[in-house]
Amino acid sequence: MTRRSCTIYVVGITCAVLLAVGIGLFAGQVFRTLMNNRLKKEIVLVEGSRVFDSWKKPPPPVYMQFFFFNVTNPDEFIAGGKPEVKQIGPYTYREYRYKDNVSMVANGKMVSAYNTKSFVFLREKSVGDPAEDNITTVNIPAWAVMNNVKGSFFKSSMVSIWMNSLKSGLFTTRTVDELLWGYEDRLLVRVAGTKPEVETVFGLMYKKNGSNDGEFIYHTGEQNYMDYGRIETWKGQRELTFWSSNYSNSIVGSDGSAFHPLLDKDERIYIFTPDLCRTIYMEFEKDVEVKGIPAYRFTPPRSVLASKEENPDNEGFCVTPKECLGTGVLKVSPCRKGAPVVASFPHFYLADGKYVAAIKGLSPERTHHQTFLDLNPTTGVIVRAHKRAQVNILMQRITGFPSTRFLNETVFPVMFLNESVEIDDASAEKLKKLLLISNLVSNFPLVIVGLGVILLLVFVILLCQARKQKFVMLLYVLNVPLQSSAEDDTAYSPVNDKEKEDPQNGTYIGLTPKADVEA
């Protein structure tokens, strides 16, 4: 066997082995499974893991923006007219968040933590000075007191007298700082005289700067990667007590800061939000890319805040059968000390049209008012997010309060917030490197297949060359001319008319120029 033949055999066998092994590994997803198992072990909430430190203190900057609805015609609305509002904002704050008092519990299978948040005002990202800018809006303390005493003629009459004497109306004008971080309300001070447990200071973000929402206990994800960051209990409870059904009271999913790796487009993302006093869910919307990182966008569908007619599961969120609002709004008074607070998306995005039509100056837009999460599907890391929610007050006629007698029932917008985050450049580079390694390892079988294809081409070329050489040798042995034409310089012809006889080798043929033969 010649050296060329050996080379062909070696190349052919190597090619076959590489193709067989590569295709087998790719079909069996062996390397992808190995990489996924590695990710499942790395992405866990335990000391020393890849994600534990960033979970306790997330590096990307978080911003909280507040937008207020300034009422331009309060007297006209009180007289029965259509209210008109003008959006003012944003007032932007840098939000610092971290997990406090972190400790392992349940023999290391779970972790306990408090989510602490603090806020610092950013003048350069705001429209004005919150200490100076005034907003005319719903007098929330007054409406909270009126709702608490309705049904009692004596209490309603007494509160009505207090409101008149204190000049506490249905609307109030306060600075942004007062509305957010608190002010002492004269009506609440009067009520506290008879009910000491009543807080005399009111603010939409009162006691939320430098505070937490209570103790959370999370699963680490070591036993099951799908449980990574999942809430086990909140304030010692496995379920809420605000609502009227098990579904409504369920505490499911994460707190919105951590999601399990290897996300699927078909799954629902569950998030428990203490501010809404309930669990919400999100569904896949589309593929996006943030700073070169691929991500799945998840958004809450209309069914999350749908009416009980559209989504029967939501019947448990009705405060009473008669207090069941329409699609797009949720009355959260059970967890707001009875105050008629209603939650929605900004500008009543995804809500029934009647809520938008009742207020002049609203314009729901998907781009500015949608809540979404952009999650990298491999790691579950949040690469971009916008949490948008609106605070409203249910304003209606209340017996015993003459100032409300001409009111049309209205879900009145007060303020909406936009809590946003986008992965920082340093974290993005680290994540891109991790994804590159993951893709290379997962797709290594394709590299093997590629080498096999290259060797297959080499094998085919060598085989063709070998066949061509064999063909030439065969022609030479058979004395068949490779080329023959009128322009050939030589031709086969006898040396003379009579072929010579060689006593040893027999007859032979000589080569002579054509001209000589013709001559």
Side-chain angles (χ1 to χ4, degrees), residues 94-299:
R94 171 70 190 273
E95 179 181 330
Y96 295 90
R97 50 167 63 195
Y98 58 92
K99 300 288 194 298
D100 200 10
N101 294 329
V102 178
S103 60
M104 305 305 296
V105 296
N107 295 323
K109 295 180 181 178
M110 298 183 190
V111 57
S112 169
Y114 292 80
N115 297 325
T116 302
K117 299 179 183 178
S118 59
F119 302 89
V120 177
F121 179 65
L122 301 177
R123 181 63 182 87
E124 67 277 9
K125 292 181 177 290
S126 304
V127 296
D129 187 343
E132 297 179 358
D133 295 354
N134 288 316
I135 304 291
T136 299
T137 186
V138 180
N139 189 348
I140 298 178
W143 280 95
V145 173
M146 288 191 294
N147 269 268
N148 272 289
V149 300
K150 70 179 181 181
S152 170
F153 175 78
F154 173 74
K155 291 182 179 179
S156 296
S157 300
M158 183 174 61
V159 170
S160 180
I161 294 172
W162 286 349
M163 289 179 65
N164 289 331
S165 65
L166 297 171
K167 300 187 182 328
S168 180
L170 303 182
F171 290 88
T172 185
T173 299
R174 298 282 177 178
T175 66
V176 171
D177 260 348
E178 288 177 320
L179 291 173
L180 284 177
W181 309 113
Y183 62 93
E184 188 173 75
D185 184 81
R186 289 180 296 173
L187 179 61
L188 293 178
V189 172
R190 182 68 62 88
V191 173
T194 58
K195 296 180 69 176
E197 68 273 14
V198 172
E199 180 67 64
T200 60
V201 177
F202 169 79
L204 294 167
M205 296 290 290
Y206 179 56
K207 290 186 176 180
K208 292 188 177 182
N209 196 351
S211 62
N212 60 73
D213 295 320
E215 183 193 27
F216 284 86
I217 293 181
Y218 307 90
H219 288 262
T220 63
E222 278 192 299
Q223 282 70 41
N224 184 347
Y225 80 97
M226 293 289 287
D227 287 337
Y228 169 74
R230 182 171 68 84
I231 299 170
E232 175 66 11
T233 62
W234 174 59
K235 292 184 176 180
Q237 297 177 321
R238 281 190 169 87
E239 61 179 22
L240 305 172
T241 57
F242 304 127
W243 311 108
S244 59
S245 70
N246 292 333
Y247 173 82
S248 303
N249 282 319
S250 62
I251 298 176
V252 184
S254 76
D255 64 353
S257 65
F259 298 91
H260 68 79
L262 308 178
L263 290 164
D264 191 273
K265 291 181 179 180
D266 297 326
E267 69 178 292
R268 276 183 172 178
I269 300 295
Y270 288 89
I271 302 171
F272 171 68
T273 59
D275 292 335
L276 283 178
C277 314
R278 62 163 291 183
T279 297
I280 66 168
Y281 56 85
M282 296 187 177
E283 296 176 347
F284 174 81
E285 181 184 77
K286 61 182 179 180
D287 289 286
V288 295
E289 186 176 287
V290 181
K291 295 185 177 181
I293 300 170
Y296 291 167
R297 173 162 292 180
F298 288 87
T299 63

Side-chain angles (χ1 to χ4, degrees), residues 411-427:
V411 178
F412 209 103
V414 175
M415 174 270 288
F416 79 84
L417 59 85
N418 175 25
E419 189 177 25
S420 62
V421 63
E422 184 172 310
I423 190 168
D424 58 288
D425 293 339
S427 299

Side-chain angles (χ1 to χ4, degrees), residues 455-474:
L455 286 179
L456 178 62
L457 294 175
V458 173
F459 176 72
V460 170
I461 293 171
L462 291 175
L463 200 61
C464 290
Q465 288 181 344
R467 286 183 175 275
K468 183 177 180 181
Q469 188 174 12
K470 272 188 177 182
F471 183 67
V472 172
M473 290 292 293
L474 182 62

